[in-house]
């Protein structure tokens, strides 16, 4: 497929964890793609052009040869199904199911962490005040799950790297990068994941200044 046939829409600030997940999946899988940004602060996702493309009027959206797909987990599964290249998910059926579980859980739970530690902490170096009691409870739940999933000293959740590692590392890094107390084993895992070239490529994107207030 020529590069122009695969087109990823992400947020202008490169701060969406869902857009990051799809971007990393594409880099890991390997097809050439182009990228466009959508200015969420200016509600560009609601403008007719983008709204006609993205069913959900959100980022990320991937357009492949006239087929437009939103929702990051659906997009990542599509990339896995359609393109040749290194796998994004474990091959073993239960590990694969577990990886999907981790991704679905991180997208649907732990709201206090997402609210109190926005991705501006991760991608703009912002810092936030101490966690509320709700935030601490969510962090405790995250740590318990991560420690149970991650073998001691393991680089990845399921042996070889999988896309679920990106989502888990991002959630942990919301806390690590704010200087919150995180069990060292998990902090070390999150730092190692952040050194992966595909992840560094997203982290290193040129970002517009943060507009506050
Ligand atoms: N479940 C969706 C979430 C996507 C999402 O929430 N995107 C946000 C940016 S992080 C967005 O586009 N917000 C604009 C809006 O909802 O109007 C996914 O996994 O792709």
């Amino acid at each position: 497929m020529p590069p122009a046939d695969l087109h990823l829409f992400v947020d202008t600030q490169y701060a969406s964890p869902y857009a990051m997940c799809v971007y990393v999946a594409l880099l890991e899988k390997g097809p050439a793609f182009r990228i466009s940004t959508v200015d969420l602060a200016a509600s560009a996702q609601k403008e007719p052009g983008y709204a006609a493309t993205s069913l959900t009027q959100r980022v990320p959206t991937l357009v492949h040869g006239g087929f437009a797909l939103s929702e990051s987990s659906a997009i990542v599964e599509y990339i896995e199904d359609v393109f040749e290249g290194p796998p994004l998910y474990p091959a073993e059926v239960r590990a694969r199911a577990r990886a999907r579980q981790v991704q679905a859980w991180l997208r649907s739970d732990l709201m206090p962490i997402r609210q109190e530690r926005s991705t501006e902490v991760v991608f703009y170096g912002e810092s936030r005040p101490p966690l509320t009691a709700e935030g601490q409870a969510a962090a405790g739940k995250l740590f318990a799950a991560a420690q149970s999933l991650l073998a001691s000293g393991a680089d990845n959740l399921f042996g070889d790297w999988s896309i679920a590692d990106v989502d888990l590392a991002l959630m942990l890094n919301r806390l690590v990068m704010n200087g919150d107390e995180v069990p060292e084993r998990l902090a070390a895992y999150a730092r190692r994941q952040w050194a992966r070239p595909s992840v560094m490529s997203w982290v290193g994107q040129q970002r517009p200044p943060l507009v506050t207030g």
Side-chain angles (χ1 to χ4, degrees):
M1 292 279 182
D5 201 36
L6 195 58
H7 192 175
L8 175 64
F9 292 86
V10 307
D11 57 312
T12 303
Q13 294 180 323
Y14 290 90
S16 164
Y18 316 108
M20 175 185 179
C21 180
V22 172
Y23 176 89
V24 169
L26 283 170
L27 284 193
E28 294 283 345
K29 188 59 90 177
F33 66 99
R34 66 191 168 105
I35 193 161
S36 293
T37 57
V38 179
D39 188 354
L40 303 181
S43 295
Q45 74 276 24
K46 297 180 183 150
E47 285 170 9
Y50 187 73
T53 300
S54 170
L55 201 63
T56 58
Q57 300 181 23
R58 285 176 156 189
V59 294
T61 292
L62 184 71
V63 181
H64 181 215
F67 173 65
L69 190 64
S70 301
E71 287 297 316
S72 57
S73 40
I75 300 171
V76 170
E77 300 239 5
Y78 178 78
I79 293 167
E80 179 81 320
D81 289 344
V82 165
F83 298 103
E84 290 179 2
L88 302 174
Y89 287 97
E92 197 276 318
V93 69
R94 290 187 178 175
R96 198 175 174 89
R98 185 74 75 211
R100 290 176 173 141
Q101 176 193 346
V102 168
Q103 288 195 291
W105 175 59
L106 292 172
R107 280 164 175 67
S108 61
D109 198 357
L110 309 177
M111 189 53 87
I113 299 179
R114 288 190 270 160
Q115 285 170 341
E116 295 176 32
R117 299 288 180 265
S118 84
T119 55
E120 290 170 3
V121 168
V122 177
F123 299 117
Y124 278 89
E126 291 279 291
S127 66
R128 298 285 186 263
L131 291 169
T132 63
E134 291 76 23
Q136 284 175 25
K141 194 173 169 184
L142 171 65
F143 298 156
Q147 279 173 316
S148 133
L149 285 165
L150 195 64
S152 184
D155 281 344
N156 304 307
L157 282 169
F158 305 107
D160 291 335
W161 175 89
S162 80
I163 194 68
D165 286 300
V166 177
D167 289 338
L168 180 59
L170 185 278
M171 189 60 83
L172 289 167
N173 270 329
R174 291 174 187 261
L175 301 165
V176 172
M177 291 184 184
N178 195 66
D180 296 305
E181 215 168 293
V182 174
E184 180 46 33
R185 183 154 82 80
L186 300 181
Y189 159 80
R191 281 194 296 271
R192 283 196 300 275
Q193 289 295 330
W194 236 237
R196 200 171 174 86
S198 56
V199 172
M200 285 176 71
S201 172
W202 176 267
V203 172
Q205 292 290 333
Q206 195 83 29
R207 293 183 169 79
L210 203 54
V211 181
T212 49

